[in-house]
Amino acid sequence: FKKTEKFECEIRKKIEAANKPILFVEGKTDVKYIKKAANFLNKAGILEKIDLVQVGGEKKLDSIYNLYSQINASKLSIKRFLLLYDCDVRKEELSESKIWKRKLSFIDDNPIKKGIENLFPRDTIEKAMDYKPAFIDRRSEYTTTIRDKRNVEPESLEVNKDEKSNFCDWLCKAGDKNDFQYFNEIFDLITELLLGNDS
């Protein structure tokens, strides 16, 4: 409860003191990836016009929306806020006067099916596995037979939870523009929703 109260207090101060639109994202690696993508995709000027804040998960993003609703609207008259969820969460898009909930598009062709890492293409993930196999947990394709019905479960890949930060650091250092090509979606959302005609 105290942690929740502290978080809400910090976010309330940040919202009330904001002089730029704010993009709230789930995790620390999200911020690193977006900043790196901005450099590769020539979008650094867009990031300079907003504040980019990680909060620690989808429930914290929900809390921000609830806080926003409680704060006096007059204090928020020129501020805009985008809550950006990972592709694998169950959230409906929401649009109000100055606050939006959006989730990243799910890119079926990309091998990682969870988190912001779904934005990385297969070539990127294979390059990472060649560099350090421990980055990625792999479950091979397998077959199950239940009541004489045969099902083939496809191969699945996932960033190892203990390697998430290491994977991010390596990719931000060793990656290139092709690795970050799908991040354009984020900058399009920032431009459309947070900056409006200001971009």
Side-chain angles (χ1 to χ4, degrees):
F1 177 78
K2 286 184 178 179
K3 284 183 180 178
T4 301
E5 196 173 54
K6 182 182 177 186
F7 169 77
E8 290 183 353
C9 182
E10 288 172 357
I11 292 297
R12 180 181 288 269
K13 287 178 182 175
K14 189 173 288 291
I15 288 174
E16 291 178 343
N19 55 22
K20 292 180 181 179
I22 302 177
L23 170 59
F24 290 103
V25 294
E26 291 194 29
K28 291 179 184 176
T29 58
D30 297 8
V31 170
K32 291 181 181 179
Y33 286 138
I34 292 168
K35 287 181 176 179
K36 193 66 179 180
N39 292 333
F40 281 129
L41 303 173
N42 298 316
K43 306 290 186 180
I46 290 175
L47 282 193
E48 288 172 3
K49 297 177 182 179
I50 67 162
D51 286 330
L52 177 57
V53 178
Q54 73 86 20
V55 297
E58 64 174 288
K59 290 182 180 178
K60 296 280 180 73
L61 289 177
D62 291 340
S63 295
I64 291 169
Y65 175 74
N66 295 334
L67 272 175
Y68 177 95
S69 302
Q70 296 168 17
I71 296 172
N72 187 323
S74 65
K75 294 180 180 177
L76 305 172
S77 58
I78 60 168
K79 301 163 193 169
R80 298 173 184 171
F81 305 91
L82 172 57
L83 309 175
L84 187 60
Y85 294 81
D86 288 341
C87 65
D88 52 303
V89 302
R90 293 182 179 177
K91 294 289 171 192
E92 295 293 324
E93 287 192 354
L94 178 142
S95 300
E96 293 190 6
S97 61
K98 301 280 182 169
I99 188 166
W100 295 269
K101 284 185 183 181
R102 294 290 186 270
K103 68 177 188 177
L104 292 169
S105 298
F106 177 77
I107 302 168
D108 193 49
D109 288 343
N110 290 350
I112 304 295
K113 304 304 182 188
K114 295 180 179 179
I116 198 169
E117 292 87 2
N118 175 251
L119 293 178
F120 294 115
R122 182 166 292 278
D123 288 348
T124 301
I125 302 305
E126 288 176 355
K127 182 168 58 174
M129 289 190 293
D130 287 343
Y131 176 78
K132 185 178 179 183
F135 280 157
I136 307 296
D137 295 336
R138 174 185 285 185
R139 188 183 69 210
S140 299
E141 179 183 288
Y142 67 95
T143 304
T144 61
T145 305
I146 300 172
R147 297 187 73 181
D148 204 31
K149 184 176 179 183
R150 187 171 178 268
N151 296 305
V152 177
E153 299 295 334
E155 173 190 62
S156 68
L157 302 175
E158 191 170 329
V159 177
N160 180 280
K161 64 179 182 176
D162 295 326
E163 292 287 345
K164 199 171 174 78
S165 290
N166 294 331
F167 174 74
C168 175
D169 291 343
W170 172 79
L171 189 51
C172 287
K173 185 176 180 182
D176 59 33
K177 182 177 181 178
N178 290 331
D179 297 317
F180 289 86
Q181 60 187 295
Y182 291 103
F183 280 73
N184 270 308
E185 173 189 3
I186 295 172
F187 300 106
D188 290 344
L189 285 171
I190 292 170
T191 302
E192 177 191 351
L193 302 177
L194 292 182
L195 300 180
N197 297 323
D198 302 336
S199 58

